[in-house]
Each structure stands twice: as C-alpha cells, then as structure tokens.
C-alpha cells in the first residue's frame, strides 16, 4: 500500500471482524524515525544545546530506543488507517482496541498481524418472541390489611407495662442497664444504661435476648454469651462473656386506630385522605412490589436468556476478549491468596481459567449490543442526573460519602458501567411492560 509502504492483505472474517497481515518496510520505518527525531529535536531540552536547536544525532543518541518505539507505534497507527480504508469502515465504528496478534522484527522490516472489530448489524425482528408472558399475582384484601397493620404498628407509640408480675416476652421492648465482662474484667463499649432492646430483633450477640425472656421489672440477671469468632473487635472475638443486666422497664407497642384521621397523618398532602383511599394506595404499592419481584427474580433472567438464544449476530472478537479479561480478573480477585499464587506460576492454567469465561463473556457482549440497539430504536435513555442519584443512594446505603464515591466512580471510569446497567434494567422492564 502506498500510504504506509507496507504490503497489506485484509481478510474480512464476518460482519464484525477482520484480520490484516502486513509488513512495514525498513524504508518506511527509517522515514518515520527521521520525522519523529526532527519533531523531538524541536521540543526536547538537552544540556549544552538551546531548546529547538538540538542536533538530530544528539537526540538519537540520548533517546534512540524510545524514539524507535514511537516510530513503530506511528507506523502501526498509519497501517490501521489503511486497514479501515480497505474495509471501507469509518474509524468511529471500530470497537475496542485492535489486537496485535503478531509483531515480528525481520531483516526486511516488521511483520504484523492485526485483528480489528467493528459494530455488528443487529436484526431485532425476533425480539417479540423473546418476551415471556407476564402474569403478576393479584393483591388480596388480606395482603392490604396485613400491610396496613404493619404500618400502624410501626407508627404506634411504646407504652410501659405497669404490672410488676408481667414477664418479658418475644416482640416486647426491654429497657435495660447492662455491663459486660470478659475474664472478669469490664471491656470498652460493654456498658449502657436505659438501653431499649426489642426482644427478637437479634441485634445483640446470639443468646443474649433469649436469656432476657421471663424477666420481671426490676429483676437482675447474669447473661452468659460467647462473642462470634468473626466479631469486628479482635480482642473479644470468640471469647466467652458475662453481662450483668438489670431490667428497668418492659414496654410494648400501643394501639393505633386505623381510621380517616390515621389516613390523613399518613398522607398529609391529601386533604381527602380516608381509610379507603389509604387502602387503594397500599394496594397499588403492593402491586408494584409484586411486579418488581417477579421481574427481578424471574422474568428479566428469562428475557435475557431468550435474547441470547434467539437474536444472533457476529460478535466483535476484540470486545469479547476484553470482557473475558474483565471476568477473569474479577474471578481471580475472589480466589484465596494461595490459589492465586499457584495459578500465576502456571501460564497454561491461567489461559484455561480465562477461557472458561468465554461463554459468559459472549453472552454479556451479545445482550449489551441488543440492549443498546433497542434503546436507540425506542429512544430510551438514562439522564445523567438519574445516574448521579443512583450513585448517591448507593453511597448512603453503604454509609459512605456520596461525593467521594462519585469521584471514585469517575476516576475509575465506572460512570458508564453504572449507566449501562441502568439502561439494561430500563430496557428489559420496558419490554416486559408490553406484556402487561
């Protein structure tokens, strides 16, 4: 080819991949090296020479190897442009980084084999066949009543049980003073006064709440427990402990009347709120929850499997290989350290482990391309503010600083990953909603 002075042969494998063989001649490499050296001599500063007046020989002597690599890189970039021209493909349609399959330095130049991938053509004519039947279980009146009682119970105030003969039982609240001892010595954070504990909440060490059951107001008792082996405080992990407990008070949930007044406190913006309108809203919410549960636990997975099976097209190899690398890295990070070290000593095992990811990688790439094609066809998008809101709520749920998490996502190029996951969820939900 005249553009690179390289012999070039391009073989289009399928609609998404091509392999090119080429030889970059020594003459072309020399010309490119001269160009790189001239550019460098204008910009480099070397002691003893004025900037912009550094002789080419001095530049070559100091930075020869690096400049040769720069020249080779530029030759490969030029060659890539020739490959795309030969394939009649625009640069923006190339996907992933080209894979250099062969790079051999010979007496006559550099022999190369380059694999490139580009956007596949995706036919969505079988998409409707992929969407499973959607049957959302109906919400029963008893479901509404149960949820209403739960809401009322959650908002009900605690009231003290004055009967001194009453024994503490499950689902009641114990106001206790306690102090914990390990090896007969008190430990930091093991003491509290007037602590309110719901019996059955399992918020204390296993066995603690069970041993409080049956206590009366004013009673004192020693509670014997053992800290879990994985307890966050290493000094206490796995250790037996004694808690000296005094039961100050027993409380239980009071009663709230489920009437129109309660409805108005629950929906203060609705001046016409009533028991019936409250039940209607609860029914809608339960219906939405049932739909989301069905979608997330069953139907989205079926839809993805159907898409993977029925919508076939040539997959871009470079993208599949990159996805395999990602899946392999993720799998590697979950391995025990000993297994990681053992694997790294055996390159063949590394290849085998990586190859095990191919099927999942191909499925992931295929579904991503289909989702993207559907989103473009149906003009489905995720606004940037929705992405930021999702990251914000994720940070809050994990008790982390939202700003710090957002900056971490930006720094590690994860914003696009979050957006793609949200887009996939929205596209799948939109498709399933068509069957409602």
């Amino acid at each position: 080819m005249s553009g690179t002075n390289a012999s070039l042969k391009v073989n289009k494998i399928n609609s998404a991949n091509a392999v090119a063989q080429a030889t970059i001649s020594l003459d072309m490499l020399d010309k490119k090296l001269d160009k790189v050296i001239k550019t460098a001599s204008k910009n480099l500063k070397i002691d003893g020479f004025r900037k912009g007046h550094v002789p080419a020989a001095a530049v070559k002597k100091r930075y020869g190897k690096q400049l040769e690599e720069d020249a080779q890189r530029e030759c490969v970039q030029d060659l890539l442009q020739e490959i795309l021209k030969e394939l009649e493909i625009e640069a923006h349609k190339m996907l992933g980084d080209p894979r250099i399959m062969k790079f051999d330095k010979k007496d006559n130049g550099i022999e190369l084999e380059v694999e490139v991938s580009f956007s596949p053509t995706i036919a969505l004519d079988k998409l409707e066949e992929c969407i499973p039947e959607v049957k959302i279980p109906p919400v029963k009146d008893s479901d509404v009543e149960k949820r209403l009682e739960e809401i009322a119970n959650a908002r009900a105030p605690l009231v003290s049980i004055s009967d001194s003969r009453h024994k503490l039982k499950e689902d009641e609240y114990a106001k206790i003073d306690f102090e914990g001892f390990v090896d007969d010595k008190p430990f930091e954070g093991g003491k509290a006064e007037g602590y309110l504990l719901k019996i059955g909440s399992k918020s204390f060490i296993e066995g603690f709440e069970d041993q409080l059951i049956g206590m009366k107001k004013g009673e004192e008792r020693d509670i014997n427990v053992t800290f879990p082996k994985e307890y966050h405080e290493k000094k206490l992990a796995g250790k037996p402990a004694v808690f000296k407990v005094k039961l100050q008070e027993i409380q239980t949930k009071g009663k709230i009347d489920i009437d129109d007044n309660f409805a108005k406190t629950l929906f203060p913006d609705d001046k016409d709120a009533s028991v019936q309108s409250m039940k209607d809203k609860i029914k809608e919410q339960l219906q939405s929850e049932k739909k989301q549960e069905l979608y997330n636990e069953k139907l989205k997975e079926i839809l993805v499997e159907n898409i993977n099976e029925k919508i076939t097209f040539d997959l871009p190899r470079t993208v599949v290989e990159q996805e395999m690398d990602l899946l392999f890295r993720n799998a590697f990070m979950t391995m025990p350290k000993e297994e990681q070290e053992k694997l790294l000593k055996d390159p063949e095992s590394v290849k085998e482990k990586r190859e095990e990811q191919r099927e999942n990688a191909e499925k992931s790439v295929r579904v991503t391309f289909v989702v993207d094609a559907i989103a473009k066809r149906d003009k489905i998008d995720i606004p940037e503010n929705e992405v930021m809101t999702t990251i914000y709520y994720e940070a809050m749920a994990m008790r982390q600083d939202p700003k710090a998490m957002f900056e971490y996502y930006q720094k590690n190029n994860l914003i696009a990953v979050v957006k793609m996951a949200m887009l996939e969820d929205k596209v799948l939900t939109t498709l399933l909603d068509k069957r409602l």
Side-chain angles (χ1 to χ4, degrees), residues 303-360:
L303 177 53
V304 165
E305 290 298 332
N306 289 346
I307 285 171
N308 188 51
E309 183 184 321
K310 295 180 181 181
I311 302 181
T312 57
F313 52 90
D314 297 321
L315 295 177
R317 287 183 185 176
T318 57
V319 180
V320 171
E321 294 293 333
Q322 285 171 11
E323 184 68 13
M324 284 173 68
D325 287 338
L326 176 65
L327 294 178
F328 172 69
R329 278 199 302 273
N330 291 345
F332 181 81
M333 294 304 291
T334 62
M335 293 178 188
K337 193 175 179 182
E338 304 78 36
E339 196 175 331
Q340 287 180 351
E341 291 171 355
K342 184 182 176 184
L343 188 64
L344 291 174
K345 290 174 184 174
D346 185 356
E348 282 304 312
S349 292
V350 170
K351 283 183 183 177
E352 286 173 17
K353 280 282 182 187
R354 182 181 176 278
E355 190 59 34
E356 286 174 10
Q357 305 299 329
R358 184 171 297 279
E359 187 178 341
N360 285 335

Side-chain angles (χ1 to χ4, degrees), residues 80-282:
L80 189 58
Q81 296 307 311
E82 292 288 338
I83 293 169
L84 293 175
K85 189 176 177 183
E86 188 84 4
L87 291 165
E88 297 180 350
I89 291 172
E90 295 170 36
H92 71 271
K93 290 200 171 181
M94 190 175 74
L95 300 172
D97 296 321
R99 294 178 71 218
I100 308 295
M101 313 292 286
K102 178 182 175 184
F103 190 90
D104 287 347
K105 294 179 183 178
K106 304 279 186 175
D107 293 339
N108 62 331
I110 299 174
E111 289 183 5
L112 282 160
E113 185 172 293
V114 183
E115 184 178 74
V116 292
S117 296
F118 28 90
S119 299
T121 302
I122 302 167
L124 297 174
D125 52 309
K126 291 186 178 179
L127 183 59
E128 293 300 315
E129 298 174 27
C130 298
I131 308 172
E133 186 180 19
V134 177
K135 278 189 178 179
I136 301 168
V139 175
K140 301 173 188 173
D141 290 343
S142 59
D143 296 333
V144 176
E145 293 294 340
K146 184 182 177 186
R147 175 62 62 86
L148 193 50
E149 285 174 15
E150 287 171 359
I151 294 169
N153 188 53
R155 287 174 167 256
L158 290 173
V159 292
S160 180
I161 296 174
S162 56
D163 186 355
S164 60
R165 295 168 299 172
H166 181 83
K167 293 180 179 180
L168 181 65
K169 59 180 187 285
E170 190 93 2
D171 291 328
E172 291 180 338
Y173 293 77
K175 186 180 275 190
I176 56 174
D177 299 336
F178 64 83
E179 185 171 14
F181 297 83
V182 170
D183 298 328
D184 295 325
K185 293 178 183 176
F187 55 87
E188 191 178 346
K191 184 178 181 180
E193 291 181 359
Y195 189 94
L196 195 63
L197 174 65
K198 183 182 180 183
I199 304 304
S201 65
K202 299 192 184 333
S203 55
F204 266 38
I205 303 165
E206 187 179 351
F208 187 96
E209 294 168 35
D210 293 339
Q211 292 178 62
L212 294 179
I213 291 173
M215 287 182 73
K216 296 177 183 177
K217 182 179 176 181
E219 186 180 340
E220 295 183 19
R221 185 179 289 184
D222 285 356
I223 303 296
N224 293 280
V225 292
T226 301
F227 280 98
K229 289 181 180 177
E230 64 279 3
Y231 195 68
H232 64 273
E233 184 61 60
K234 294 282 190 283
K235 291 178 183 176
L236 302 176
K239 293 275 186 77
V242 177
F243 283 86
K244 294 189 177 297
V245 178
K246 181 177 181 180
L247 179 58
Q248 280 190 9
E249 188 180 357
I250 299 173
Q251 297 180 357
T252 188
K253 280 283 187 178
K255 184 75 175 169
I256 279 190
D257 291 327
I258 298 174
D259 53 17
D260 290 352
N261 285 330
F262 178 61
K264 285 180 171 62
T265 62
L266 209 57
F267 301 102
D269 297 332
D270 182 2
K271 63 181 186 343
D272 297 321
S274 64
V275 172
Q276 189 54 52
S277 69
M278 178 169 58
K279 286 182 177 180
D280 291 342
K281 285 185 172 73
I282 290 171

